[in-house]
């Protein structure tokens, strides 16, 4: 259950308050339980207590310390060479970041794991009929960008697919969504025993491969249609930020909807000598071969396909009429990967909190990349390091954080969030007890639209921070149900029920995951002057400072109640046979308790009670989000414990609401659905009761005391 805040930036890097305001306001009004003004408006009353106000003012000052040139310098260093997970180059970057953190004064350690990583050995795609054609499966170098001549970059591939070699006819299946296969079936076209050709986008490679396998396909080929991020959108590389016809992407088919992390070590960190499952026991591996190709490689195949013309909405942007295909095109597909355990390294840096060292604010970004990774991974890491720098310099100047700061550079994220998940499993007990929030910067900057997706209880803190900065105003805030948009965040929100926020500047994904994701592309076309990187660093630095300095953990649980109400309405619309009245009643109870709690918490900040009282109440605030976890997790996906959200298996990275209930309904298990509805109701009631008790405790702090004359 996540909120999304969106606005665009102008050429000078400031936020544009006009972008999409009408659409967002309309969407917010439709999704608000009372149909009125959106409860997630960022125009909140300011913090009231002197310490709270000081924390907000400090955060605004801190944000001015950000230096775009410093971000550029670090980005240039970390994108100098290809550095996929498990490579010597990526290990070298971990040592570089360790040195940077140590120079800033952080306590740093490297955490090593041995995880299953496949590297491509042989990938071949040939058209045998109606004529011979061999796909290049390589991205050509671009004039003016020396980094694109790099031969060390893996050819385009999709990790964790099955090894195979065979020939089969090909069927075009649009995006490879469940509704696309349904439409093919209605047209009398079966993909059983065929290779499906699908275009990139809408759902991720893992969802595409899972649906292709379920439909009976022998293999899947994903191509980058220009309609998504190519020439119809604007200038392509090397003259712009969009994907050229010869560009392809790399990715992973690891089934994160089941769980994140190493496929062979569920629920435990994959340290050296850890016991691993056998391949046939690894439920997150794809069982069919998959391959990623460019539009240039797909074009001769599409031109040769016959059969019916594609349905409305299935036509891509290549200059030809798309057909569904039949038996006229025969493809030969070969995929062979080197599957082995490879060493990966997380870099974890810590600055102990001065007063509440047992409360931790986590900040992370992944380091590994498919190639040079300047845009995907590089911008996020460079922004994170700048946030770490400005906070460290302020701490050394006499303004240390009250809560402990933890900065993490994750490894093996591109393969499926492996580094973050292994660390979360290793540190489970500590994180469950101490983690205030996880701020994810891994998506970085790849456009001009600022977006935040995260846990609703953090929305107010983010809105207050942005309003305190000289960045313009957000157009609106709307409740959305998006996936975390970063595999690294899944372990924190879905597995450990820790509040998260993904912060990014989004846009075209045309160069991400390709050979053309270089420093030159980032500097010239994606973020000239690194102004959006600097803006993202300012927002992140101010938010982290706010979370680290505020006397009370600044959760706002009335937003949680609103989010639960919206989720309930959406579920009821899809499943009208369900009686969700208790969900609705409890969402109102949670929202009311959250409103009381927020009011009393802000008033209590006017005059703080003794430190031990503050600490005890903060621990109860911190524990509240954990109550949204189901004991034993989701029966069909036990790694996911959060009762409100998990990745949708058929539509990832989109989320599924009340996933344990939806899973039972999908399996036509009525008894199971009733059990899950009861479990969810019990957990929501426990959450509401906890918030009401907390509200009473805070109201007791601010209640006027009677004098002796009054007694």
């Amino acid at each position: 259950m996540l909120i999304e805040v969106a606005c665009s930036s102008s050429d000078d890097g400031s936020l544009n308050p006009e972008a999409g305001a009408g659409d967002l306001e309309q969407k917010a009004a439709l999704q608000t339980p009372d149909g009125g003004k959106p409860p997630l408006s960022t125009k909140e009353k300011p913090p009231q207590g002197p310490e709270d106000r000081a924390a907000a003012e400090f955060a605004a000052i801190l944000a001015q310390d950000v230096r775009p040139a410093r971000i550029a310098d670090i980005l240039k260093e970390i994108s100098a060479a290809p550095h996929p997970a498990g490579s010597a180059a990526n290990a070298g970057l971990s040592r570089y970041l360790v040195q940077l953190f140590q120079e800033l004064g952080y306590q740093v350690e490297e955490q090593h794991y041995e995880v299953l990583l496949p590297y491509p050995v042989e990938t071949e795609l040939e058209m045998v009929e109606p004529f011979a054609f061999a796909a290049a499966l390589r991205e050509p170098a671009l004039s003016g960008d020396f980094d694109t001549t790099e031969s060390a970059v893996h050819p385009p591939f999709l990790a964790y697919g099955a090894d195979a070699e065979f020939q089969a006819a090909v069927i075009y299946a649009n995006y490879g969504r469940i509704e696309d296969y349904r439409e093919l079936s209605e047209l009398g076209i079966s993909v059983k025993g065929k290779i499906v050709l699908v275009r990139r986008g809408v759902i991720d490679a893992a969802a595409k491969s899972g649906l292709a396998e379920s439909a009976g396909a022998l293999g899947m080929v994903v191509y980058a249609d220009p309609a998504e991020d190519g020439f119809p959108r604007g200038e392509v590389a090397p003259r712009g930020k969009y994907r050229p016809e010869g560009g392809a992407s790399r990715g992973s088919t690891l089934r994160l909807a089941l769980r994140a992390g190493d496929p062979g070590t569920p629920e435990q960190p994959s340290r050296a000598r850890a016991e691993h499952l056998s391949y046939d026991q690894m439920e997150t591996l794809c069982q069919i071969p998959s391959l990623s190709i460019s539009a240039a490689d797909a074009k001769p195949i599409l031109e040769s396909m016959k059969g019916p013309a594609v349905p409305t909405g299935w036509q891509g942007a290549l200059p030809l009429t798309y057909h569904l295909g039949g038996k006229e095109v025969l493809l030969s597909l070969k995929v062979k990967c080197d599957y082995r355990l490879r060493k990966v390294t997380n870099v974890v840096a810590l600055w102990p909190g001065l007063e509440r060292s047992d409360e931790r604010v986590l900040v992370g970004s992944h380091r590994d990349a498919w190639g040079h990774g300047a845009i995907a991974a590089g911008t996020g890491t460079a922004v994170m390091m700048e946030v770490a720098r400005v906070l460290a310099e302020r701490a050394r100047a006499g303004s240390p954080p009250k809560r402990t700061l933890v900065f993490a550079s994750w490894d093996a994220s591109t393969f499926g969030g492996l580094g973050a998940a292994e660390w979360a499993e290793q540190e489970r007990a500590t994180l469950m007890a101490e983690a205030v929030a996880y701020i994810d910067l891994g998506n970085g900057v790849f456009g001009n639209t600022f977006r935040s997706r995260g846990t609703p209880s953090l929305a107010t803190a983010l809105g207050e921070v942005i309003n305190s900065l000289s960045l313009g105003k957000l157009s609106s805030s709307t409740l959305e149900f998006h996936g975390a948009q970063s595999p690294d965040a899944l372990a924190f929100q879905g597995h450990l029920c820790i509040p998260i926020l993904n912060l990014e500047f989004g846009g075209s994904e045309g160069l991400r995951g390709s050979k053309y994701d270089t420093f030159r592309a980032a500097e010239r076309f994606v973020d000239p002057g690194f102004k959006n990187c600097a803006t993202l660093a300012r927002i992140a630095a101010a938010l982290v400072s706010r979370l680290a300095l505020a006397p009370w953990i600044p959760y706002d649980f009335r937003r949680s109640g609103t989010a639960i109400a919206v989720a309930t309405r959406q579920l009821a619309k899809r499943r009208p046979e369900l009686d969700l009245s208790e969900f609705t009643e409890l969402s109102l109870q949670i929202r009311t308790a959250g409103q009381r709690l927020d009011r009393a918490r802000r008033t209590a900040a006017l005059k703080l009670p003794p430190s031990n009282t503050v600490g005890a109440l903060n621990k109860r605030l911190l524990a509240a989000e954990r109550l949204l976890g189901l004991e034993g997790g989701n029966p069909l996906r036990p790694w996911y414990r959060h009762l409100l959200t998990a990745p949708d298996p058929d539509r990832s990275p989109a989320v599924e609401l009340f996933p344990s209930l939806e899973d039972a309904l999908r399996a036509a298990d009525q008894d199971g659905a009733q059990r899950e509805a009861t479990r969810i109701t019990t957990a929501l009631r426990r959450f509401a009761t906890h918030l009401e008790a907390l509200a009473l405790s805070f109201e007791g702090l601010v209640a006027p005391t009677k004098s002796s004359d009054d007694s």
Side-chain angles (χ1 to χ4, degrees):
M1 186 71 45
L2 306 172
I3 62 148
E4 178 181 28
V5 176
C7 63
S8 66
S9 73
S10 60
D11 291 338
D12 64 0
S14 62
L15 298 182
N16 176 9
E18 305 302 325
D23 290 344
L24 290 172
E25 287 289 355
Q26 182 182 22
K27 190 184 294 185
L30 287 172
Q31 294 183 351
T32 303
D34 57 10
K37 292 291 288 183
L40 299 185
S41 168
T42 56
K43 297 178 181 179
E44 299 286 345
K45 51 181 179 279
Q48 296 177 352
E51 288 198 43
D52 234 346
R53 192 179 305 112
E57 292 170 355
F58 177 77
I61 294 170
L62 182 83
Q64 303 310 309
D65 294 343
V66 169
R67 303 175 195 165
R70 173 72 174 172
I71 295 173
D73 288 343
I74 293 178
L75 179 58
K76 193 169 188 178
E77 182 70 26
I78 61 182
S79 62
H83 50 282
S87 67
N90 203 38
L93 280 183
S94 73
R95 293 189 291 272
Y96 167 68
L97 293 183
V98 166
Q99 181 181 348
L100 289 183
F101 276 123
Q102 288 175 337
E103 290 172 354
L104 292 172
Y106 287 87
Q107 301 173 13
V108 195
E109 65 176 333
E110 292 180 293
Q111 296 279 358
H112 304 294
Y113 305 93
E114 292 183 355
V115 298
L116 186 67
L117 297 181
Y119 285 178
V121 176
E122 291 183 75
T123 54
E124 296 178 3
L125 182 67
E126 297 181 359
M127 185 164 60
V128 179
E129 295 178 2
F131 61 88
F133 163 76
L137 302 184
R138 296 291 188 275
E139 296 169 298
L142 300 177
S143 61
D145 191 346
F146 178 79
D147 284 348
T148 65
T149 66
E150 178 63 66
S151 60
V153 179
H154 289 311
F157 82 113
L158 296 173
Y160 298 110
D163 286 354
E165 182 176 7
F166 59 85
Q167 293 184 357
V170 61
I171 298 293
Y172 176 67
N174 196 25
Y175 291 108
R177 302 167 298 180
I178 195 166
E179 56 264 41
D180 296 330
Y181 288 108
R182 188 180 299 122
E183 188 154 6
L184 284 173
S185 179
E186 290 171 356
L187 292 170
I189 296 175
S190 170
V191 302
K192 189 172 183 179
K194 309 289 200 310
I195 294 171
V196 291
L197 178 65
V198 299
R199 50 178 171 157
R200 183 181 184 274
V202 183
I203 60 176
D204 61 24
K208 292 178 192 290
S209 66
L211 290 169
E213 181 184 329
S214 297
L218 289 182
M220 177 183 73
V221 176
V222 181
Y223 79 100
D225 197 293
E228 303 304 314
D229 290 295
F231 63 84
R233 301 281 303 278
E235 288 278 10
V236 302
R239 299 177 61 184
K241 62 183 178 181
Y242 295 100
R243 190 189 311 274
E245 273 198 15
S249 63
R250 293 142 187 85
S252 173
T253 62
L254 196 67
R255 294 180 175 171
L256 299 183
L258 294 176
R259 63 176 178 84
D262 176 63
T265 56
E267 300 285 349
Q268 63 174 326
S270 187
R271 307 302 294 267
R273 295 180 295 279
E275 184 176 349
H276 286 71
L277 300 175
S278 62
Y279 284 103
D280 59 356
Q281 294 175 313
M282 296 180 187
E283 61 179 355
T284 57
L285 296 185
C286 181
Q287 300 303 308
I288 63 172
S290 301
L291 191 60
S292 176
I293 67 173
S294 67
D297 280 342
K299 188 175 179 181
I301 300 171
L302 286 164
E303 286 177 329
S304 302
M305 293 173 69
K306 297 179 181 178
V310 297
T312 302
W314 287 35
Q315 174 73 34
L318 288 172
L320 55 95
T321 299
Y322 288 39
H323 292 268
L324 296 176
K327 297 179 180 180
E328 67 282 350
V329 175
L330 184 66
L331 295 181
S332 175
L333 174 67
K334 181 178 182 179
V335 177
K336 183 179 180 181
C337 289
D338 177 15
Y339 273 86
R340 69 173 66 178
L341 294 177
R342 304 179 196 272
K343 182 179 176 181
V344 299
T345 304
N346 294 330
V347 176
V348 181
L350 183 144
W351 195 292
L354 185 65
E355 296 178 12
R356 289 181 280 281
S357 61
D358 60 345
E359 297 171 13
R360 299 180 177 226
V361 179
L362 314 175
V363 188
S365 177
H366 69 278
R367 182 180 70 257
D368 62 302
W370 295 116
H372 288 267
I375 303 164
T379 53
T381 298
V383 166
M384 181 185 74
M385 294 307 298
E386 183 65 358
V387 173
R389 182 190 67 80
V390 296
L391 287 166
E393 289 186 356
R394 286 288 174 171
R396 290 200 303 268
S399 300
K402 294 180 179 179
R403 295 184 175 89
T404 295
L405 300 179
V406 180
F407 287 88
S409 170
W410 309 121
D411 203 347
S413 173
T414 53
F415 281 81
L418 274 65
E422 298 309 307
W423 187 77
E425 289 175 345
Q426 174 185 309
E427 303 293 332
R428 181 186 290 113
T430 299
L431 294 173
M432 290 282 285
E434 299 183 359
V436 171
Y438 171 62
I439 309 303
D440 187 87
L441 301 172
N443 284 349
V445 171
F446 55 102
N448 292 324
T449 301
F450 174 73
R451 290 196 293 250
S452 171
R453 299 173 176 90
T455 308
S457 58
L458 291 175
T460 296
L462 176 62
E464 290 174 345
V465 160
I466 291 175
N467 286 340
S468 72
L469 305 177
S470 300
L471 301 172
K473 296 180 180 179
L474 291 177
S475 57
S476 180
S477 301
T478 89
L479 281 172
E480 292 285 356
F481 305 110
H482 288 289
Q485 303 297 311
S486 164
D488 300 327
L490 294 176
F492 298 99
Q493 189 208 22
H495 185 54
L496 301 182
C497 300
I498 293 167
I500 65 130
L501 280 177
N502 296 130
L503 305 179
E504 67 179 45
F505 271 86
S508 168
E509 299 198 13
L511 302 183
R512 283 157 54 99
S514 78
K515 190 176 184 177
Y516 311 130
D517 183 351
T518 65
F519 181 80
R520 178 185 183 274
E523 180 183 41
R524 293 196 60 184
F525 305 116
V526 174
D527 190 14
F530 298 102
K531 294 170 184 175
N532 287 339
C533 282
T535 298
L536 183 60
R538 291 184 180 107
I539 294 171
L543 176 62
V544 172
S545 173
R546 176 90 173 93
L547 293 171
L549 287 173
W552 305 109
I553 297 174
Y555 296 149
D556 186 350
F557 293 112
R558 64 202 167 96
R559 294 175 183 255
S560 303
T562 299
I564 293 166
V566 172
T568 300
R569 287 227 313 273
Q570 293 194 0
L571 179 59
K573 189 178 297 184
R574 292 195 312 277
R575 304 281 189 175
E577 72 276 13
L578 298 178
D579 179 6
L580 299 175
S581 57
E582 283 192 278
F583 286 18
T584 301
E585 292 169 7
L586 286 166
S587 69
L588 179 60
Q589 189 176 339
I590 289 165
R591 185 180 179 186
T592 302
Q595 189 169 15
R596 284 175 52 202
L597 173 57
D598 183 62
R599 185 184 300 116
R601 176 180 61 82
R602 290 173 181 273
T603 305
L606 289 168
K607 185 177 181 181
L608 284 178
S611 179
N612 61 336
T613 303
V614 174
L617 286 174
N618 270 327
K619 283 297 182 185
R620 292 171 63 190
L621 282 168
L622 190 150
E625 283 280 350
R626 311 296 191 267
L627 296 176
L628 292 176
L630 291 172
E631 292 294 331
N634 181 336
L636 298 180
R637 293 185 274 170
W639 194 80
Y640 284 104
R641 297 177 56 252
H642 205 290
L643 66 85
L644 291 172
T645 179
D648 187 327
D650 297 333
R651 300 182 183 279
S652 58
V655 304
E656 192 167 58
L657 308 178
F658 301 115
S660 65
L661 178 55
E662 284 281 19
D663 284 354
L665 291 168
R666 188 185 299 111
D669 180 359
Q670 294 301 319
D671 291 340
Q674 183 57 54
R675 284 194 302 271
E676 290 313 303
T678 301
R679 291 175 77 211
I680 292 169
T681 300
T682 300
L684 290 177
R685 185 173 293 114
R686 185 172 64 238
F687 182 53
T689 301
H690 183 85
L691 295 183
E692 289 171 341
L694 257 176
L696 282 172
S697 296
F698 274 95
E699 288 167 348
L701 291 179
V702 300
T705 56
K706 291 184 178 181
S707 66
S708 57
D709 293 339
D710 295 331
S711 57

